[in-house]
mmCIF file of all heavy atoms in Angstrom:
data_model
loop_
_atom_site.group_PDB
_atom_site.id
_atom_site.type_symbol
_atom_site.label_atom_id
_atom_site.label_comp_id
_atom_site.label_asym_id
_atom_site.label_seq_id
_atom_site.Cartn_x
_atom_site.Cartn_y
_atom_site.Cartn_z
ATOM 1 N N TYR J 205 -13.916 17.343 3.320
ATOM 2 C CA TYR J 205 -14.579 16.883 4.535
ATOM 3 C C TYR J 205 -14.850 18.088 5.451
ATOM 4 O O TYR J 205 -14.682 18.029 6.689
ATOM 5 C CB TYR J 205 -13.661 15.880 5.287
ATOM 6 C CG TYR J 205 -13.487 14.619 4.513
ATOM 7 C CD1 TYR J 205 -12.424 14.346 3.704
ATOM 8 C CD2 TYR J 205 -14.489 13.618 4.567
ATOM 9 C CE1 TYR J 205 -12.257 13.209 2.973
ATOM 10 C CE2 TYR J 205 -14.380 12.424 3.844
ATOM 11 C CZ TYR J 205 -13.269 12.220 3.060
ATOM 12 O OH TYR J 205 -13.153 11.064 2.333
ATOM 13 N N ALA J 206 -15.304 19.204 4.843
ATOM 14 C CA ALA J 206 -15.531 20.421 5.606
ATOM 15 C C ALA J 206 -16.524 20.208 6.752
ATOM 16 O O ALA J 206 -16.447 20.845 7.799
ATOM 17 C CB ALA J 206 -16.050 21.521 4.682
ATOM 18 N N ALA J 207 -17.502 19.306 6.515
ATOM 19 C CA ALA J 207 -18.544 19.092 7.583
ATOM 20 C C ALA J 207 -17.959 18.468 8.830
ATOM 21 O O ALA J 207 -18.598 18.596 9.886
ATOM 22 C CB ALA J 207 -19.636 18.269 7.011
ATOM 23 N N GLY J 208 -16.806 17.855 8.711
ATOM 24 C CA GLY J 208 -16.292 17.165 9.907
ATOM 25 C C GLY J 208 -15.068 17.850 10.506
ATOM 26 O O GLY J 208 -14.213 17.250 11.171
ATOM 27 N N GLN J 209 -14.915 19.169 10.259
ATOM 28 C CA GLN J 209 -13.732 19.894 10.671
ATOM 29 C C GLN J 209 -13.835 20.489 12.074
ATOM 30 O O GLN J 209 -12.858 20.751 12.674
ATOM 31 C CB GLN J 209 -13.407 21.021 9.657
ATOM 32 C CG GLN J 209 -13.138 20.498 8.290
ATOM 33 C CD GLN J 209 -11.915 19.624 8.203
ATOM 34 O OE1 GLN J 209 -10.925 19.833 8.924
ATOM 35 N NE2 GLN J 209 -11.982 18.578 7.390
ATOM 36 N N LYS J 210 -15.011 20.775 12.537
ATOM 37 C CA LYS J 210 -15.177 21.431 13.813
ATOM 38 C C LYS J 210 -15.033 20.422 14.995
ATOM 39 O O LYS J 210 -15.589 19.345 14.961
ATOM 40 C CB LYS J 210 -16.537 22.133 13.893
ATOM 41 C CG LYS J 210 -16.706 23.274 12.914
ATOM 42 C CD LYS J 210 -18.068 23.933 13.140
ATOM 43 C CE LYS J 210 -18.247 25.106 12.144
ATOM 44 N NZ LYS J 210 -19.550 25.770 12.333
ATOM 45 N N PHE J 211 -14.247 20.809 15.986
ATOM 46 C CA PHE J 211 -14.033 19.939 17.136
ATOM 47 C C PHE J 211 -15.388 19.766 17.848
ATOM 48 O O PHE J 211 -16.151 20.697 17.958
ATOM 49 C CB PHE J 211 -12.986 20.517 18.084
ATOM 50 C CG PHE J 211 -11.623 20.391 17.512
ATOM 51 C CD1 PHE J 211 -10.947 21.458 17.012
ATOM 52 C CD2 PHE J 211 -10.956 19.123 17.464
ATOM 53 C CE1 PHE J 211 -9.646 21.316 16.496
ATOM 54 C CE2 PHE J 211 -9.704 18.973 16.914
ATOM 55 C CZ PHE J 211 -9.038 20.110 16.428
ATOM 56 N N GLY J 212 -15.571 18.588 18.398
ATOM 57 C CA GLY J 212 -16.818 18.285 19.046
ATOM 58 C C GLY J 212 -17.500 17.069 18.416
ATOM 59 O O GLY J 212 -16.886 16.364 17.615
ATOM 60 N N PRO J 213 -18.761 16.841 18.756
ATOM 61 C CA PRO J 213 -19.445 15.671 18.158
ATOM 62 C C PRO J 213 -19.403 15.715 16.628
ATOM 63 O O PRO J 213 -19.707 16.724 16.031
ATOM 64 C CB PRO J 213 -20.888 15.856 18.713
ATOM 65 C CG PRO J 213 -20.728 16.639 19.907
ATOM 66 C CD PRO J 213 -19.590 17.593 19.679
ATOM 67 N N GLY J 214 -19.078 14.589 16.038
ATOM 68 C CA GLY J 214 -19.006 14.509 14.598
ATOM 69 C C GLY J 214 -17.673 14.818 13.993
ATOM 70 O O GLY J 214 -17.526 14.745 12.753
ATOM 71 N N PHE J 215 -16.660 15.247 14.802
ATOM 72 C CA PHE J 215 -15.363 15.545 14.270
ATOM 73 C C PHE J 215 -14.729 14.317 13.661
ATOM 74 O O PHE J 215 -14.743 13.253 14.311
ATOM 75 C CB PHE J 215 -14.447 16.150 15.327
ATOM 76 C CG PHE J 215 -13.092 16.433 14.859
ATOM 77 C CD1 PHE J 215 -12.824 17.509 14.058
ATOM 78 C CD2 PHE J 215 -11.989 15.623 15.229
ATOM 79 C CE1 PHE J 215 -11.518 17.762 13.570
ATOM 80 C CE2 PHE J 215 -10.710 15.869 14.767
ATOM 81 C CZ PHE J 215 -10.464 16.982 13.964
ATOM 82 N N ASP J 216 -14.177 14.436 12.492
ATOM 83 C CA ASP J 216 -13.543 13.329 11.770
ATOM 84 C C ASP J 216 -12.068 13.232 12.181
ATOM 85 O O ASP J 216 -11.244 13.965 11.682
ATOM 86 C CB ASP J 216 -13.670 13.530 10.263
ATOM 87 C CG ASP J 216 -13.342 12.253 9.479
ATOM 88 O OD1 ASP J 216 -12.455 11.502 9.969
ATOM 89 O OD2 ASP J 216 -13.944 12.058 8.436
ATOM 90 N N LEU J 217 -11.733 12.330 13.089
ATOM 91 C CA LEU J 217 -10.402 12.233 13.620
ATOM 92 C C LEU J 217 -9.383 11.777 12.520
ATOM 93 O O LEU J 217 -8.246 12.148 12.542
ATOM 94 C CB LEU J 217 -10.350 11.203 14.751
ATOM 95 C CG LEU J 217 -9.022 10.986 15.431
ATOM 96 C CD1 LEU J 217 -8.526 12.255 16.079
ATOM 97 C CD2 LEU J 217 -9.107 9.884 16.451
ATOM 98 N N LYS J 218 -9.905 11.051 11.514
ATOM 99 C CA LYS J 218 -9.004 10.563 10.477
ATOM 100 C C LYS J 218 -8.705 11.596 9.439
ATOM 101 O O LYS J 218 -7.609 11.827 9.057
ATOM 102 C CB LYS J 218 -9.618 9.284 9.835
ATOM 103 C CG LYS J 218 -8.736 8.630 8.791
ATOM 104 C CD LYS J 218 -9.349 7.297 8.319
ATOM 105 C CE LYS J 218 -8.426 6.604 7.347
ATOM 106 N NZ LYS J 218 -9.028 5.323 6.877
ATOM 107 N N ARG J 219 -9.798 12.290 8.978
ATOM 108 C CA ARG J 219 -9.669 13.214 7.844
ATOM 109 C C ARG J 219 -9.925 14.672 8.210
ATOM 110 O O ARG J 219 -9.837 15.513 7.320
ATOM 111 C CB ARG J 219 -10.610 12.754 6.700
ATOM 112 C CG ARG J 219 -10.120 11.456 6.044
ATOM 113 C CD ARG J 219 -11.231 10.796 5.248
ATOM 114 N NE ARG J 219 -12.278 10.318 6.096
ATOM 115 C CZ ARG J 219 -13.088 9.271 5.720
ATOM 116 N NH1 ARG J 219 -12.892 8.730 4.554
ATOM 117 N NH2 ARG J 219 -14.054 8.861 6.486
ATOM 118 N N GLY J 220 -10.217 14.955 9.447
ATOM 119 C CA GLY J 220 -10.482 16.317 9.886
ATOM 120 C C GLY J 220 -9.179 17.121 10.001
ATOM 121 O O GLY J 220 -8.093 16.570 9.892
ATOM 122 N N ARG J 221 -9.337 18.403 10.218
ATOM 123 C CA ARG J 221 -8.181 19.285 10.366
ATOM 124 C C ARG J 221 -7.248 18.819 11.520
ATOM 125 O O ARG J 221 -7.673 18.613 12.626
ATOM 126 C CB ARG J 221 -8.658 20.734 10.620
ATOM 127 C CG ARG J 221 -7.521 21.735 10.619
ATOM 128 C CD ARG J 221 -8.063 23.151 10.923
ATOM 129 N NE ARG J 221 -7.027 24.101 10.851
ATOM 130 C CZ ARG J 221 -6.741 24.827 9.779
ATOM 131 N NH1 ARG J 221 -7.469 24.667 8.674
ATOM 132 N NH2 ARG J 221 -5.793 25.731 9.765
ATOM 133 N N GLY J 222 -5.969 18.623 11.167
ATOM 134 C CA GLY J 222 -5.029 18.135 12.137
ATOM 135 C C GLY J 222 -5.184 16.633 12.430
ATOM 136 O O GLY J 222 -4.580 16.122 13.380
ATOM 137 N N GLY J 223 -5.943 15.934 11.613
ATOM 138 C CA GLY J 223 -6.186 14.507 11.868
ATOM 139 C C GLY J 223 -5.073 13.581 11.315
ATOM 140 O O GLY J 223 -3.999 14.043 10.898
ATOM 141 N N ILE J 224 -5.379 12.292 11.261
ATOM 142 C CA ILE J 224 -4.392 11.312 10.885
ATOM 143 C C ILE J 224 -3.887 11.523 9.462
ATOM 144 O O ILE J 224 -2.645 11.437 9.220
ATOM 145 C CB ILE J 224 -5.008 9.882 10.981
ATOM 146 C CG1 ILE J 224 -5.357 9.592 12.477
ATOM 147 C CG2 ILE J 224 -4.065 8.835 10.443
ATOM 148 C CD1 ILE J 224 -6.190 8.375 12.675
ATOM 149 N N ARG J 225 -4.768 11.879 8.513
ATOM 150 C CA ARG J 225 -4.324 12.071 7.159
ATOM 151 C C ARG J 225 -3.346 13.229 6.989
ATOM 152 O O ARG J 225 -2.317 13.154 6.318
ATOM 153 C CB ARG J 225 -5.555 12.322 6.221
ATOM 154 C CG ARG J 225 -6.317 11.034 5.910
ATOM 155 C CD ARG J 225 -5.536 10.208 4.877
ATOM 156 N NE ARG J 225 -6.271 8.943 4.606
ATOM 157 C CZ ARG J 225 -5.964 7.809 5.165
ATOM 158 N NH1 ARG J 225 -4.993 7.739 6.055
ATOM 159 N NH2 ARG J 225 -6.618 6.711 4.822
ATOM 160 N N GLU J 226 -3.635 14.332 7.718
ATOM 161 C CA GLU J 226 -2.738 15.465 7.661
ATOM 162 C C GLU J 226 -1.384 15.138 8.252
ATOM 163 O O GLU J 226 -0.332 15.558 7.757
ATOM 164 C CB GLU J 226 -3.343 16.706 8.350
ATOM 165 C CG GLU J 226 -4.448 17.343 7.586
ATOM 166 C CD GLU J 226 -4.740 18.754 8.040
ATOM 167 O OE1 GLU J 226 -3.885 19.336 8.746
ATOM 168 O OE2 GLU J 226 -5.824 19.267 7.725
ATOM 169 N N THR J 227 -1.388 14.403 9.360
ATOM 170 C CA THR J 227 -0.151 13.961 9.985
ATOM 171 C C THR J 227 0.676 13.121 9.044
ATOM 172 O O THR J 227 1.909 13.288 8.945
ATOM 173 C CB THR J 227 -0.433 13.193 11.266
ATOM 174 O OG1 THR J 227 -1.229 14.004 12.174
ATOM 175 C CG2 THR J 227 0.825 12.788 12.000
ATOM 176 N N GLU J 228 0.007 12.212 8.345
ATOM 177 C CA GLU J 228 0.723 11.342 7.401
ATOM 178 C C GLU J 228 1.383 12.202 6.308
ATOM 179 O O GLU J 228 2.543 11.962 5.962
ATOM 180 C CB GLU J 228 -0.219 10.329 6.814
ATOM 181 C CG GLU J 228 -0.646 9.214 7.724
ATOM 182 C CD GLU J 228 -1.626 8.272 7.082
ATOM 183 O OE1 GLU J 228 -2.249 8.652 6.057
ATOM 184 O OE2 GLU J 228 -1.742 7.122 7.582
ATOM 185 N N PHE J 229 0.621 13.145 5.702
ATOM 186 C CA PHE J 229 1.133 13.924 4.609
ATOM 187 C C PHE J 229 2.267 14.832 5.113
ATOM 188 O O PHE J 229 3.246 15.047 4.388
ATOM 189 C CB PHE J 229 0.008 14.776 3.986
ATOM 190 C CG PHE J 229 -0.752 13.953 2.957
ATOM 191 C CD1 PHE J 229 -2.078 13.647 3.201
ATOM 192 C CD2 PHE J 229 -0.163 13.583 1.787
ATOM 193 C CE1 PHE J 229 -2.813 12.951 2.305
ATOM 194 C CE2 PHE J 229 -0.884 12.846 0.850
ATOM 195 C CZ PHE J 229 -2.251 12.504 1.121
ATOM 196 N N TYR J 230 2.166 15.295 6.350
ATOM 197 C CA TYR J 230 3.273 16.150 6.880
ATOM 198 C C TYR J 230 4.551 15.287 6.956
ATOM 199 O O TYR J 230 5.616 15.780 6.548
ATOM 200 C CB TYR J 230 2.880 16.629 8.268
ATOM 201 C CG TYR J 230 3.961 17.388 8.941
ATOM 202 C CD1 TYR J 230 4.154 18.768 8.706
ATOM 203 C CD2 TYR J 230 4.796 16.789 9.868
ATOM 204 C CE1 TYR J 230 5.097 19.485 9.354
ATOM 205 C CE2 TYR J 230 5.815 17.489 10.505
ATOM 206 C CZ TYR J 230 5.968 18.847 10.288
ATOM 207 O OH TYR J 230 6.934 19.544 10.873
ATOM 208 N N ALA J 231 4.442 14.123 7.495
ATOM 209 C CA ALA J 231 5.641 13.235 7.596
ATOM 210 C C ALA J 231 6.135 12.854 6.211
ATOM 211 O O ALA J 231 7.347 12.836 5.992
ATOM 212 C CB ALA J 231 5.262 12.000 8.379
ATOM 213 N N GLN J 232 5.239 12.571 5.279
ATOM 214 C CA GLN J 232 5.668 12.140 3.977
ATOM 215 C C GLN J 232 6.396 13.261 3.214
ATOM 216 O O GLN J 232 7.384 12.996 2.487
ATOM 217 C CB GLN J 232 4.486 11.634 3.144
ATOM 218 C CG GLN J 232 3.963 10.279 3.661
ATOM 219 C CD GLN J 232 2.607 9.934 3.115
ATOM 220 O OE1 GLN J 232 1.919 10.764 2.527
ATOM 221 N NE2 GLN J 232 2.234 8.680 3.263
ATOM 222 N N MET J 233 5.941 14.490 3.360
ATOM 223 C CA MET J 233 6.643 15.635 2.747
ATOM 224 C C MET J 233 8.067 15.697 3.188
ATOM 225 O O MET J 233 9.013 15.871 2.447
ATOM 226 C CB MET J 233 5.935 16.913 3.106
ATOM 227 C CG MET J 233 5.055 17.475 1.992
ATOM 228 S SD MET J 233 4.568 19.178 2.318
ATOM 229 C CE MET J 233 3.533 18.963 3.776
ATOM 230 N N HIS J 234 8.297 15.488 4.474
ATOM 231 C CA HIS J 234 9.637 15.614 5.067
ATOM 232 C C HIS J 234 10.475 14.376 4.678
ATOM 233 O O HIS J 234 11.683 14.526 4.539
ATOM 234 C CB HIS J 234 9.573 15.797 6.564
ATOM 235 C CG HIS J 234 9.140 17.173 6.983
ATOM 236 N ND1 HIS J 234 7.820 17.572 6.918
ATOM 237 C CD2 HIS J 234 9.859 18.227 7.386
ATOM 238 C CE1 HIS J 234 7.739 18.866 7.276
ATOM 239 N NE2 HIS J 234 8.964 19.262 7.599
ATOM 240 N N GLN J 235 9.874 13.252 4.551
ATOM 241 C CA GLN J 235 10.609 12.086 4.067
ATOM 242 C C GLN J 235 11.145 12.370 2.697
ATOM 243 O O GLN J 235 12.308 12.083 2.387
ATOM 244 C CB GLN J 235 9.686 10.860 4.041
ATOM 245 C CG GLN J 235 9.346 10.294 5.400
ATOM 246 C CD GLN J 235 8.300 9.180 5.269
ATOM 247 O OE1 GLN J 235 7.591 9.091 4.319
ATOM 248 N NE2 GLN J 235 8.214 8.359 6.310
ATOM 249 N N LEU J 236 10.317 12.911 1.807
ATOM 250 C CA LEU J 236 10.732 13.165 0.476
ATOM 251 C C LEU J 236 11.782 14.280 0.387
ATOM 252 O O LEU J 236 12.716 14.224 -0.398
ATOM 253 C CB LEU J 236 9.554 13.601 -0.396
ATOM 254 C CG LEU J 236 8.436 12.487 -0.561
ATOM 255 C CD1 LEU J 236 7.190 13.047 -1.250
ATOM 256 C CD2 LEU J 236 9.033 11.334 -1.388
ATOM 257 N N ILE J 237 11.693 15.260 1.263
ATOM 258 C CA ILE J 237 12.706 16.309 1.335
ATOM 259 C C ILE J 237 14.034 15.751 1.718
ATOM 260 O O ILE J 237 15.092 15.994 1.132
ATOM 261 C CB ILE J 237 12.261 17.432 2.269
ATOM 262 C CG1 ILE J 237 11.089 18.213 1.694
ATOM 263 C CG2 ILE J 237 13.406 18.408 2.553
ATOM 264 C CD1 ILE J 237 10.447 19.150 2.681
ATOM 265 N N LEU J 238 14.046 14.945 2.863
ATOM 266 C CA LEU J 238 15.306 14.420 3.349
ATOM 267 C C LEU J 238 15.880 13.446 2.319
ATOM 268 O O LEU J 238 17.103 13.433 2.086
ATOM 269 C CB LEU J 238 15.041 13.664 4.664
ATOM 270 C CG LEU J 238 15.576 14.360 5.904
ATOM 271 C CD1 LEU J 238 14.787 15.628 6.162
ATOM 272 C CD2 LEU J 238 15.541 13.452 7.137
ATOM 273 N N ALA J 239 15.070 12.619 1.708
ATOM 274 C CA ALA J 239 15.562 11.626 0.761
ATOM 275 C C ALA J 239 16.119 12.238 -0.493
ATOM 276 O O ALA J 239 17.096 11.797 -1.076
ATOM 277 C CB ALA J 239 14.488 10.608 0.393
ATOM 278 N N ALA J 240 15.525 13.350 -0.945
ATOM 279 C CA ALA J 240 16.014 14.064 -2.152
ATOM 280 C C ALA J 240 17.350 14.736 -1.838
ATOM 281 O O ALA J 240 18.216 14.850 -2.688
ATOM 282 C CB ALA J 240 14.993 15.023 -2.628
ATOM 283 N N ASP J 241 17.439 15.211 -0.622
ATOM 284 C CA ASP J 241 18.646 15.957 -0.221
ATOM 285 C C ASP J 241 19.796 14.981 0.031
ATOM 286 O O ASP J 241 20.967 15.330 -0.132
ATOM 287 C CB ASP J 241 18.387 16.826 1.026
ATOM 288 C CG ASP J 241 19.480 17.819 1.330
ATOM 289 O OD1 ASP J 241 19.918 18.445 0.344
ATOM 290 O OD2 ASP J 241 19.854 17.933 2.479
#
Side-chain angles (χ1 to χ4, degrees):
Y205 294 97
Q209 298 299 323
K210 293 182 179 180
F211 288 106
F215 177 74
D216 192 328
L217 181 62
K218 184 174 184 179
R219 290 164 290 206
R221 186 182 183 93
I224 296 170
R225 283 286 177 261
E226 286 198 18
T227 302
E228 287 179 341
F229 278 111
Y230 176 84
Q232 288 167 346
M233 258 194 294
H234 286 77
Q235 288 173 339
L236 295 172
I237 291 170
L238 254 67
D241 192 44

